[in-house]
Structure formats: C-alpha cells, structure tokens
Amino acid sequence: MGLFAVLLLAAAAVVRRGWAADSRGFAAAGVAAGMTLVLIDRPSALAWLLFGLALTMAMLSARVGKNEDAWRWAQRLVVHAAIAVIGPWLDLMRVHRVTRRRRASNLPGLVRLLVLPVLGGAVFIALFASANPVLGELIGRLRLPPLSGEAVVRVVFWILCVVLVGGILRPRWRSRLLPLPSLGGQRLSGVTAASVTLSLVVFNLLFAVQNGLDLAILWSGAPLPDGMTLAQYAHRGAYPLIITALLAALFVLVFLRPGSETAVRPLVRWLVVIWVGQNLLLVASSLLRTADYIEAYSLTRFRIAAMIWMVLVGIGLGLICWRLLRNRSAAWLLNANACVVLAVLMVASVVDLGPLAAHWNIRQALDPDRQGARLDLCYLDTLNGAALTALVQLEQRTLDSALRDRVAAVRVRQMNAMQARQSDWRGWRWRDQRRLDRVAGMTADHPLVGPVPGGRDCDGHLKPPPRPAAAAPDPAVLFTVPLTSTAGD
C-alpha cells in the first residue's frame, strides 16, 4: 500500500506539473510524501485519508487563489471527491460523443472484421488441444475466478483505486463556491446587549459553583457523599462538561462577533474572558476526571482519544477568545482550528495508541501497590498484536504463576495471529515485523514458557472441560408398562 502511494505520488508529479511552481502545492506534496512513509510503516484508513487530502490539495493548488480559507478548500475537496466517482464515466461519454461526431466508430464493420479471426482461432485452438495433451491440459486448467466474498471485495477495492488515481491525475474544477456562513449575522429578536451581559453574569456564577466543587473534590481531595467513589464522580461528569464547554463556545460565536454591539463593550469583553477561563478550567477538570477514572480502571484507545478531544475543545475555546479580543475574522478562526485538527490527525496516524494503552496498563499491573488481577487481558487481546511486547514484558517480570500462565496464553494467541498475517504478503506490515523482531530480542536470553494446554477465554482463563454426554436411556425401560393397577383405574 505504501509503495502504491509512492507510485501514485510520482505519477501525479509527472502528469500534473503546475504544483511544483506553487509553494503551497509544494508543501502539500511534501506532506503527502511524508504520509507515504506512514503507509509503508503502518497502513490505515486515517493515513490514506490524509495522504489523499494532501495530494489533492497539491494538485489543485496551482489553480486556487492564495488567500482562500479552509471553508472554500473544504468545498473544493468535497466537489473533487464527488465528481471523481463519476469522472471516468463522464470521460467515456465525452469520448463517445467525439467519436460519433467524427464517425470513427463503425460497430457492424468491426464485427465483420473480427468474426473470421475469432472463430477460426477458436477452431484451431480446439484442434490443437485435442491433438496435444500438454496444451489440452493447460487449456483445461483455465477457469474464471470463483465468485466469492473475497473476490467481490478485491473488485470493489480496485474500483476505488481507479477512482482515486483518476481523481488525482485528472482533478475536476469548480469556480462557484458557497460563501462562509456568518454566525449571528442577523440580530435575533429579544437579544440585546443588556441580555447578553446579564447572561454572561449568570453563566459565570453557575460555572463558578461547578468549578468550585471540582476544585474541592478533584483537585483538593474533599470527601465525597456516602456511597459514591471518585471513579463514579469522575466518569459521570467528564463528557457532559465537555458538551457544556461546546455550548459556551457556540454562545460566544453567535452573540459576540468581533465588531458587534456586544463585543465592543469593555464589561462584556471582560466577562467573556472570565467565562472562557472558567470553561478552560472545566475542560481541565474533565481531563482530571478521565485520568482518575483511568487510574481506577484501565487505559484504552478510546479514553486516550477522548482526552485528545478534550484538549482540542480547550484549544478551540482559546482561539475563540483570541478572535474576540483581536477582532479576527471567521475565516481566521476556521483556518486556525483546521490547522490544529489536521496536525493532531497526522500525529494520530503515526502514533499507535494501542501500545501506549497496553504499556500503561502493564506498568500499573507490575506496581507492587496494585493487584495484577485488575489487568484487563480481554482488552489487550483485542489490540491485534499492538500489546505483544507489553505482554512479553509482563510475562517476564510477574511473580504470580497463575497470572503468568494467563498472560502466556494471550501472548501466544496474539503472536500466532500476527505471524499468520505476516506470512501473507497482503497483510505484511513493517511495524508488526519490528514487533516480532523486538520480541525475539527480548526472549533470546530469557526464553518464555508456553501456557498449560487447554482452551482459553479472552482473558487467558482455562475453559472448563465439556460435560460428558448423558447416556441414552434404554428404549426397553422407556416403554415398559406396569402390570399392576389401582382400584380407581
């Protein structure tokens, strides 16, 4: 997949030469080249999306104005993706129209031209096959590929590849684009500067109460109500508070546009700054809530992604406040947020979150102050080999023989699955090969012992042996009729 991306990038550089003279297109092509290395190391849907995005921007940059914002770029990319799907059909229709005008296509004449060589060749092939056993055996082996699910998936995959290549080498163009919608462009009925000011005062007071409780409980360790644990308190409020911060950002965007009647008042600006600061503290408390929940349970890919999302919300709030204080345009805000999101996605395409979660959980399991039984081996088993080196580390360092046997069972299952994928050239990945090489180096001087034979659950526990089948009853006993009867019969 990575080599295919390299070839596509080289073909685009040869066919579409205008991007080389544009600094923005050259930078986008450089990002696409970097993503090809990611695809060679660890192909993923996200890496493919970023590669296609960067390469498309490079191909379109020569025809796009220097000052176009992220909103107009998004429209161009959406139109490009939509038209690329039907682009080959549009080209075929154009070719058909041109050939029909030129009268270069004469189907009956073409049929008359091919009848004799095709039929004659088929007759001679049949005669040679009957006369030559070797040739007959080779022809007898010719079969159409079976129509299986794998064949259908491959056909769909190659159709998508054709669409991708056609869209890159022949990008479509659209000059008419929609303007950036203006949030709060019209004055809403009943919304005045006084009402916005009073709302900010009320919101600040409410947020102060919530932040005060978080400071007392999360940050200072105040006691919780009876029957509630810190993990329950943390999990209950992590995501609703992020929604609260997003609603606060929407309020500022709609009612406090730079240059509006409310935004120019010094009191309102100070209230907005205080409120955004409280929202940032709310986001920080949500991060701490998630960290406390992870400490009580375990770390997963989803929880890492959730914390990254919370950080992005905080950055977005800061950018909104900066826009208000510096009278920046909506296009500036959109461009800044788009750059931050793309940068985070690029880092996420390079860094595998699975090993991060696995090694953190293993370190917690090896901590003498914690119980190794709290380790979620079922989750580590779902990481598709990303936890392999962490499992080997735990297996070598744990002193609990029962836990070591369970870890060995999960490790063997993960290693066998990874080796099976690596044996197929379609599933081979450079990163997985490095993991296997690292495991070989870790176990060179300290060989691992295999688990006890037997069926295993996802967490490595031995499955109980199946119950013996009950013996079939004797038909003679089933159909025996008693000879005695009671008086009432």
Side-chain angles (χ1 to χ4, degrees), residues 248-309:
L250 182 61
F251 179 87
V252 176
L253 285 174
V254 173
F255 299 110
L256 293 162
R257 292 172 295 108
S260 62
E261 181 185 358
T262 53
V264 296
R265 296 193 174 191
L267 177 60
V268 172
R269 295 168 73 90
W270 277 110
L271 288 174
V272 169
V273 171
I274 296 173
W275 193 34
V276 171
Q278 291 207 73
N279 275 278
L280 292 176
L281 180 58
L282 206 65
V283 172
S285 297
S286 298
L287 285 168
L288 185 59
R289 285 170 180 264
T290 307
D292 290 338
Y293 187 77
I294 292 171
E295 183 71 23
Y297 294 96
S298 62
L299 184 63
T300 64
R301 281 174 170 168
F302 177 79
R303 290 165 190 165
I304 297 176
M307 297 182 77
I308 295 174
W309 163 247

Side-chain angles (χ1 to χ4, degrees), residues 388-399:
L388 183 59
T389 56
L391 289 171
V392 172
Q393 180 184 6
L394 177 61
E395 189 177 353
Q396 291 178 335
R397 296 179 57 183
T398 185
L399 301 178

